[in-house]
Amino acid sequence: MKTRVTECLGIEYPIIQGGMAWVAEHNLAAAVSKAGGLGLIGAANAPADWVRSEIRKAKEMTEKPFGVNIMLLSPYAEEVAKVVVEEGVKVVTTGAGSPEKFLPMWKEAGIKVIPVVASVALAKRMERSGVDAVVAEGCESGGHIGELTTMALLPQVADAVEIPVIGAGGAGDGRGVAAMFMLGAEAVQIGTRFVVANESIVHENYKKKILSAKDIDSVVTGRSTGHPVRTLRNKTTREYLRLEKEGASFEELENLTIGGLRKAVMEGDADRGSVMAGQIAGLIKKEQSCKEIIDELMAETIGIVKERSSWVK
Ligand code: TUI
């Protein structure tokens, strides 16, 4: 499959892995890139040295291109922005902010820059500042989210910019990928499905929580604090939502979730930790390798596009 995104990134399939905090480390990134997609190392809140070492390990595992996702709220964002240049990373995606101040440095280094946006306004601003593509991420995604759904956001962003658009939020199988193509995407970012991949290092309890999730099992906490985050429902989200309704302070709410993602991913505390996952968690029923996931996504996408095309006479 050939789109402006596969051409620009030098990848075989228009599938990009989400830059998920704690989850997107070198094993997952290398496996996705080896399978023909674009793997990403998620820098999240990690120190720059950790990111450097993950980049080096991924390079040892694959010659294929991979990227780094920089979470712009991180206290280490500035240092990580330099590390990707020093280590010769080919692609950078960013989340939770605007990467404008790093663009001259990254463009000079020949890095392809792809910010995640949650609005048309930011997409247009990013295009004007010279980025290579944008990821339009709807609120079906797991983790930190914007307001709009993918169905509403993606076509509006695709109409507003000339650069290629990557769809994110809500695609868990080939139907989702095909739908995003119909809405104007030239590649699709997949997160939750890769969390349960064989190569994903997350704790077995985290994987089980996703594999047993139903359609209504994700909730959004933190709307009142301006940091909405989608996770799977558990003891902590129930407590959080109750406190939020009672008008608890920012500090009180923060204390409840601090370190929660590490607790869930590394320790497997799926009851009290923060189990970030998208709304399509209920669609995911099996653990597969990254290659099986990508091959299946592509086969389903092509199958459904052909089948539905036959409706048109
Ligand atoms: O960044 C994400 N998803 C994330 S980051 C993350 S790490 C975290 N850990 C604990 C608590 C909170 C976060 C987990 N999930 N997705 C990309 C994304 N970016 N979604 C929405 C946005 C976004 C929102 C507003 C991007 C830019 C923006 O406005 C920036 C501006 O300056 O206008």
Side-chain angles (χ1 to χ4, degrees):
M1 209 176 270
K2 193 164 140 183
T3 73
R4 283 190 294 169
V5 174
T6 60
E7 294 287 287
C8 168
L9 303 180
I11 55 176
E12 211 174 330
Y13 303 114
I15 299 291
I16 290 173
Q17 172 224 318
M20 302 163 287
W22 288 97
V23 179
E25 47 68 79
H26 68 276
N27 290 295
L28 187 64
V32 171
S33 287
K34 268 187 186 172
L38 185 81
L40 288 177
I41 291 164
N45 279 318
D49 279 347
W50 179 85
V51 180
R52 192 190 299 282
S53 133
E54 289 298 303
I55 294 168
R56 291 185 179 172
K57 287 179 197 161
K59 272 190 207 154
E60 277 171 24
M61 291 176 75
T62 182
E63 308 235 296
K64 298 263 182 82
F66 64 88
V68 171
N69 172 269
I70 303 185
M71 209 275 283
L72 294 162
L73 294 173
S74 164
Y76 304 105
E78 193 104 25
E79 290 166 57
V80 174
K82 290 184 196 137
V83 164
V84 293
V85 174
E86 289 159 10
E87 297 297 320
V89 169
K90 301 277 188 296
V91 188
V92 167
T93 69
T94 63
S98 162
E100 272 150 318
K101 68 174 175 179
F102 303 125
L103 272 173
M105 174 173 70
W106 288 341
K107 293 320 296 174
E108 192 176 328
I111 296 175
K112 305 287 185 201
V113 183
I114 311 181
V116 176
V117 301
S119 69
V120 165
L122 189 60
K124 285 165 92 167
R125 208 171 103 201
M126 292 295 97
E127 178 172 57
R128 279 197 302 275
S129 62
V131 305
D132 298 277
V134 289
V135 176
E137 188 183 281
C139 62
E140 296 93 324
S141 285
H144 176 68
I145 52 170
E147 274 293 326
L148 294 178
T149 60
T150 302
M151 183 80 132
L153 176 70
L154 186 45
Q156 295 189 70
V157 169
D159 278 355
V161 296
E162 300 279 331
I163 51 174
V165 179
I166 297 162
D173 62 17
R175 292 171 296 185
V177 174
M180 292 222 196
F181 288 157
M182 296 301 130
L183 294 170
E186 293 188 50
V188 175
Q189 180 179 289
I190 301 281
T192 307
R193 179 102 183 247
F194 284 128
V195 177
V196 301
N198 297 136
E199 296 92 340
S200 155
I201 53 82
V202 310
H203 196 284
E204 213 43 47
N205 295 351
Y206 201 118
K207 291 187 181 179
K208 278 192 193 136
K209 185 98 178 154
I210 290 176
L211 292 168
S212 62
K214 296 191 299 294
D215 54 349
I216 57 167
D217 282 345
S218 86
V219 289
V220 179
T221 55
R223 288 204 199 274
S224 67
T225 66
H227 286 110
V229 172
R230 182 178 301 284
T231 59
L232 294 183
R233 192 196 302 277
N234 63 8
K235 279 198 184 92
T236 303
T237 63
R238 273 189 284 274
E239 172 83 353
Y240 193 108
L241 291 171
R242 186 181 60 76
L243 285 171
E244 224 176 355
K245 220 187 228 169
E246 290 169 3
S249 70
F250 181 73
E251 286 73 28
E252 205 177 339
L253 293 168
E254 275 286 291
N255 283 340
L256 195 61
T257 51
I258 217 145
L261 185 60
R262 193 193 58 78
K263 216 185 286 173
V265 171
M266 307 304 283
E267 293 166 24
D269 189 348
D271 290 333
R272 299 213 163 264
S274 176
V275 187
M276 293 186 188
Q279 284 187 325
I280 48 79
L283 205 58
I284 301 172
K285 294 292 169 219
K286 56 184 188 286
E287 189 174 337
Q288 295 167 297
S289 70
C290 290
K291 179 165 169 36
E292 285 167 340
I293 292 172
I294 291 180
D295 287 350
E296 192 172 290
L297 284 172
M298 286 296 96
E300 285 172 356
T301 303
I302 292 162
I304 199 159
V305 168
K306 283 187 177 158
E307 184 204 296
R308 301 290 149 110
S309 299
S310 75
W311 291 358
V312 185
K313 290 284 178 258

